[in-house]
Amino acid sequence: MNNNEDIVLKLKNLKVHFPVKAGVFKRTVAHVKAVDGVDIDIYRGEVLGLAGESGCGKTTLGKAILRLVEPTGGQVSYNATDNEITELTSLTKKEMDPFRKKLQIVFQDPHSSLNPAFTIFGSLEEPLKKYGVSKRSERRKIIGDLLEAVNMHREYMDRYPHEFSGGQRQRIGIARALCIDPEIIVCDEAVSALDVSIQAQVLQLLMKLRKERNLTYLFITHDLSVTEYLCDRIAVMYLGRIVELCKAEDLYKNTLHPYSEALISAIPVADLDKKTKRIILEGDVPSPVNPPSGCPFHPRCPKAQDICKTKVPELKKYSTDGNEHYASCHLINQPEIS
Amino acid sequence: MDLETQQIHPNKDKMENNKNIALSVKDLKTYFYTNNRCNKAVNGVSFDIEKGKTLCVVGESGCGKSVTASTIMQLLPTLSRIEDGEIIFYKDEEKINIEKLERNGKEMREIRGSDIAMIFQDPMTALNPVYTVGFQIAENLQYHTTMNKKEIREKTISLLDDMGIPLPEQRVDEYPHSYSGGMRQRAMIAMAMACNPKILIADEPTTALDVTIQAQIFELMDNLKKNYNTAIMLITHDMGVVAELADNVAVMYMGNIVESGTADDVLRRPTHPYTKALLDSVPVLGRGRNQDIKPIKGSTPDAYDRPVGCQFAPRCNWADESCKIMPEITNISTSHEVRCHKYKEIFQY
């Protein structure tokens, strides 16, 4: 699966810096480095998890891929099924339109992502209108089918968002992302706002749709137990950079980066037999305006050495259980693979 | 384990002799009245909080767990009323019936903040943005103790220091907006712990926080329990948190406690279908991709249009005709109680 043709989306040194303005003339005094040089290849048909604490830039990265936030540097290239590679970051707004059909997003908060003044049909028909389904009857049919695909009644399309519960609204959000048949869906904390019993329903629905429609997901979440269940590979982000990227099971079995280790140990597990020692990290995530020198994690890292304070570690390739495993830490005692 | 079915009255007299109980709630009913309709948010809840132990109340949103907490603190909105039941607070040798006290009367104000303290879910809104953090902590000490200004300031600084806030001498004079989320929550705990309360009620204290910060807060709460013998009532929706922190567990659904017992009882031998379903519906870290998660069918019913009898029946796989009648509480063992007709079948399952 890891040959080049299968890469559907290639992020190369992607950067999103937001200016911080101050003073009477609103001069730019600093930059928030929300995403600071991210390289990821997303393979066709995989579920890539993107995990990290709040403020680490995972949502910004998701939005930058869709150009809902303009990247300030680097490239996002999309590889169509016929191997035609397009660099999305260099397109104008108009040129971007046909690619919006391939890339869709499901937002975190189902209460605020649907327009309360529109019926469900009204919200869902917009993308169809834009992409050339001109007959109303046809649109009604497509939307009806979609609602059934997300386990809801066809008749619900004439109701308003306030008539639905959180879980139902999230499913409508998923239906909206699906309605123009995208290839890649960015799920930005799609299950975080839901109750646990409803969360399981939505997770199963996402798995079912992926199988039926051969979708690729970029699944952004802070909940590592969900990523482990759902994802093929997981990328862990810290302060705008990827610190570890590997197969889902390797992240738990053969953790390489001390941050991932601490993150995993901090998750409360609903299993009395599995009590592990929590690694307590000191302090909070530093401000991305003024990140620490060297390795951005070193002020909180329990294993930090002198080298970590001065030299920024690069994302290097290792091998665990025969799988590719990327991590950026000076203190890994494993041979690097080129 | 013996499975004798012993129907017992909700008012357990035997527990009253137990010296370790800090707070005892008996058959509590809190109703809300809006638009000529009545929401029975808490509908007959009984539990005890023991000294030096953590009671976790688990449930989904809307099940009445937060209302139970605000009822104990008498912080309910005006549209609601304690309809029935008792809340007994054991202060040293004294027995105080909290439900009989006036909402904002002198006695209640004396208990609130000094004997029973509460941590709220959202530290962003629970702190007043126009006062310094130090002032807000000192307020509590000023009201409840006889310390002078200098002592209060020293105590406030040492409280912040205990909570692991860096540079407390400087931070004490800062406003909440310059604190991060985790620090605000720690300041809230400092405020709650200012008068060494006997009972600490924490209403989803870490839901708004990151896991690494959550781990810090849990470590703090564990230390409080050990060092001051504080009784903790922790409200949460996360079974992982329960497994990690709880000594005793009460599972709530639609205003009732459906199952209660020690953490071992409830997590290892779940006997109510809802508890079982809750445990089966979350992915567990370390079990990989092949774990089988089972969503609970349907969604929580409308509080104004409740099902007849057992509230969980419409979503339950075991439900039949007998579930049209509300089941009584049954004792499975001395510590383990369940509210279900079918518990024997489920127990064997």
Side-chain angles (χ1 to χ4, degrees):
Chain A
M1 152 170 165
N2 292 3
N3 49 17
N4 274 347
E5 289 107 82
D6 276 340
I7 294 174
V8 65
L9 212 57
K10 196 178 180 76
L11 315 187
K12 213 168 153 198
N13 199 19
L14 190 67
K15 284 181 184 169
V16 183
H17 292 184
F18 296 108
V20 180
K21 294 187 172 165
V24 187
F25 301 108
K26 294 280 171 242
R27 261 188 321 142
T28 304
V29 290
H31 281 97
V32 177
K33 293 173 179 161
V35 178
D36 199 19
V38 167
D39 296 277
I40 309 181
D41 297 337
I42 302 175
Y43 297 105
R44 205 178 296 281
E46 80 166 342
V47 183
L48 177 69
L50 190 59
E53 291 179 273
S54 49
C56 74
K58 49 192 194 307
T59 300
T60 312
L61 177 61
K63 287 189 174 167
I65 293 173
L66 278 93
R67 287 185 62 194
L68 295 176
V69 173
E70 281 303 324
T72 36
Q75 288 137 22
V76 179
S77 14
Y78 167 75
N79 186 359
T81 16
D82 52 5
N83 266 336
E84 200 191 301
I85 295 173
T86 326
E87 205 184 294
L88 298 182
T89 30
S90 61
L91 300 178
T92 61
K93 264 201 165 142
K94 205 144 203 184
E95 286 169 338
M96 185 70 197
D97 271 354
F99 296 97
R100 295 227 177 269
K101 199 167 174 316
K102 311 280 184 193
L103 291 154
Q104 282 295 313
I105 186 165
V106 178
F107 292 100
Q108 169 170 16
D109 186 1
H111 300 271
S112 60
S113 63
L114 287 168
N115 190 335
F118 280 25
T119 60
I120 301 308
F121 174 72
S123 282
L124 265 62
E125 73 164 350
E126 297 261 286
L128 290 175
K129 262 189 195 161
K130 166 114 191 164
Y131 289 101
V133 186
S134 45
K135 263 198 198 145
R136 190 182 150 90
S137 59
E138 213 171 309
R139 290 200 298 268
R140 281 192 78 85
K141 188 181 168 297
I142 294 173
I143 289 167
D145 291 344
L146 269 171
L147 286 178
E148 271 169 13
V150 296
N151 307 332
M152 290 174 75
H153 294 293
R154 196 169 261 280
E155 299 79 54
Y156 285 179
M157 72 170 96
D158 294 318
R159 296 196 186 172
Y160 286 89
H162 71 88
E163 296 174 66
F164 295 101
S165 68
Q168 284 173 318
R169 262 183 258 195
Q170 196 57 288
R171 278 185 272 161
I172 294 167
I174 294 171
R176 175 171 61 181
L178 285 174
C179 69
I180 47 171
D181 241 342
E183 278 178 52
I184 305 161
I185 297 184
V186 176
C187 300
D188 185 6
E189 304 263 12
V191 295
S192 313
L194 306 175
D195 262 328
V196 279
S197 68
I198 309 299
Q199 178 180 316
Q201 291 173 4
V202 176
L203 283 179
Q204 287 202 333
L205 173 70
L206 285 170
M207 296 289 259
K208 187 190 98 181
L209 292 171
R210 178 199 169 204
K211 233 183 255 163
E212 287 172 2
R213 292 164 186 252
N214 201 15
L215 295 166
T216 305
Y217 289 133
L218 176 64
F219 198 84
I220 301 170
T221 178
H222 64 271
D223 188 344
L224 277 170
S225 7
V226 172
T227 43
E228 191 208 19
Y229 170 71
L230 197 72
C231 301
D232 299 306
R233 293 193 304 154
I234 301 176
V236 181
M237 256 184 115
Y238 188 76
L239 274 184
R241 289 162 196 270
I242 303 285
V243 296
E244 190 160 1
L245 171 65
C246 61
K247 283 227 150 198
E249 55 265 35
D250 283 336
L251 185 65
Y252 302 95
K253 268 193 279 167
N254 311 306
T255 321
L256 288 181
H257 200 281
Y259 175 64
S260 320
E261 214 175 315
L263 205 57
I264 290 167
S265 82
I267 297 166
V269 177
D271 190 343
L272 286 178
D273 304 319
K274 262 206 188 117
K275 283 229 165 129
T276 43
K277 184 80 196 92
R278 280 198 289 265
I279 302 171
I280 307 285
L281 290 179
E282 296 285 318
D284 299 304
V285 184
S287 150
V289 180
N290 196 1
S293 65
C295 172
F297 185 56
H298 87 260
R300 299 175 81 195
C301 182
K303 296 179 182 164
Q305 310 271 319
D306 284 338
I307 183 173
C308 305
K309 288 176 191 152
T310 48
K311 204 170 157 228
V312 181
E314 277 168 44
L315 197 64
K316 290 178 187 157
K317 193 171 174 184
Y318 302 91
S319 164
T320 46
D321 289 353
N323 299 320
E324 284 181 353
H325 196 138
Y326 296 87
S328 65
C329 180
H330 292 304
L331 309 168
I332 296 169
N333 291 327
Q334 269 200 30
E336 189 191 330
I337 312 171
S338 51
Chain B
M1 179 184 230
D2 81 310
L3 256 178
E4 61 177 294
T5 55
Q6 181 195 5
Q7 300 269 340
I8 61 146
H9 204 259
N11 292 345
K12 290 166 290 177
D13 294 320
K14 57 167 184 175
M15 291 303 243
E16 275 189 16
N17 305 324
N18 195 336
K19 272 225 166 111
N20 276 326
I21 291 177
L23 185 102
S24 174
V25 173
K26 285 173 187 168
D27 204 23
L28 182 71
K29 287 182 180 158
T30 308
Y31 295 173
F32 284 75
Y33 297 92
T34 44
N35 295 340
N36 290 326
R37 294 193 297 181
C38 171
N39 179 1
K40 298 174 180 176
V42 175
N43 199 4
V45 159
S46 313
F47 59 85
D48 299 309
I49 309 176
E50 288 172 53
K51 282 177 195 155
K53 290 272 170 71
T54 305
L55 170 77
C56 276
V57 180
V58 212
E60 292 178 273
S61 41
C63 74
K65 51 194 196 305
S66 292
V67 177
T68 312
S70 338
T71 311
I72 295 171
M73 291 293 278
Q74 289 261 39
L75 288 173
L76 290 168
T78 35
L79 286 168
S80 56
R81 194 158 69 204
I82 302 176
E83 209 70 17
D84 195 14
E86 278 183 299
I87 307 167
I88 303 163
F89 169 51
Y90 297 91
K91 190 181 182 181
D92 305 320
E93 292 305 304
E94 230 182 312
K95 247 173 77 174
I96 301 174
N97 272 57
I98 288 184
E99 86 283 355
K100 293 209 177 100
L101 302 178
E102 211 178 307
R103 255 183 207 182
N104 283 319
K106 192 161 176 283
E107 291 139 285
M108 193 59 226
R109 276 182 290 149
E110 238 153 53
I111 291 174
R112 200 186 288 142
S114 73
D115 291 321
I116 310 178
M118 187 161 172
I119 310 169
F120 296 91
Q121 174 171 2
D122 191 357
M124 317 285 164
T125 50
L127 289 167
N128 191 334
V130 300
Y131 293 108
T132 62
V133 172
F135 177 86
Q136 295 183 56
I137 298 172
E139 225 179 0
N140 216 345
L141 293 163
Q142 222 166 2
Y143 189 86
H144 293 293
T145 63
T146 51
M147 284 188 225
N148 64 31
K149 263 192 172 166
K150 202 171 155 234
E151 285 167 337
I152 287 178
R153 192 175 163 82
E154 273 163 19
K155 173 86 180 162
T156 310
I157 292 170
S158 82
L159 275 166
L160 286 176
D161 196 26
D162 286 347
M163 296 303 140
I165 288 177
L167 304 173
E169 294 86 0
Q170 208 177 312
R171 286 289 189 176
V172 73
D173 295 320
E174 284 180 16
Y175 289 86
H177 71 86
S178 53
Y179 277 48
S180 71
M183 278 163 66
R184 276 181 231 188
Q185 195 59 288
R186 274 177 273 170
M188 284 278 297
I189 298 179
M191 200 184 294
M193 293 310 292
C195 301
N196 284 337
K198 300 191 173 52
I199 301 164
L200 180 67
I201 299 174
D203 185 359
E204 307 240 19
T206 57
T207 310
L209 305 176
D210 277 316
V211 277
T212 57
I213 311 296
Q214 171 171 292
Q216 294 171 359
I217 303 284
F218 285 166
E219 197 77 358
L220 260 175
M221 289 179 53
D222 250 0
N223 287 341
L224 294 178
K225 191 170 81 173
K226 276 187 207 124
N227 299 341
Y228 299 101
N229 206 23
T230 313
I232 298 178
M233 174 177 165
L234 179 72
I235 294 171
T236 178
H237 64 268
D238 186 345
M239 275 295 183
V241 173
V242 178
E244 201 107 330
L245 287 180
D247 297 299
N248 298 307
V249 186
V251 184
M252 277 189 87
Y253 187 75
M254 296 299 286
N256 293 112
I257 291 183
V258 293
E259 183 166 6
S260 65
T262 62
D264 240 29
D265 286 336
V266 177
L267 292 176
R268 282 189 210 279
R269 295 178 290 273
T271 316
H272 195 281
Y274 180 62
T275 320
K276 233 178 150 55
L278 263 189
L279 285 167
D280 285 340
S281 67
V282 282
V284 174
L285 192 74
R287 288 197 188 150
R289 309 196 61 189
N290 298 326
Q291 55 185 310
D292 189 17
I293 60 168
K294 297 181 202 122
I296 308 176
K297 63 180 179 191
S299 52
T300 31
D302 182 5
Y304 295 106
D305 182 21
R306 283 165 184 268
V308 186
C310 175
Q311 302 287 302
F312 189 59
R315 304 177 73 188
C316 177
N317 290 331
W318 278 275
D320 63 12
E321 276 306 301
S322 63
C323 300
K324 289 265 155 68
I325 303 158
M326 188 68 171
E328 288 296 313
I329 295 172
T330 320
N331 269 36
I332 299 173
S333 68
T334 43
S335 55
H336 198 173
E337 290 173 1
V338 68
R339 198 186 264 273
C340 179
H341 292 300
K342 302 274 170 195
Y343 73 94
K344 273 187 192 160
E345 283 167 49
I346 296 154
F347 199 79
Q348 277 148 13
Y349 174 69

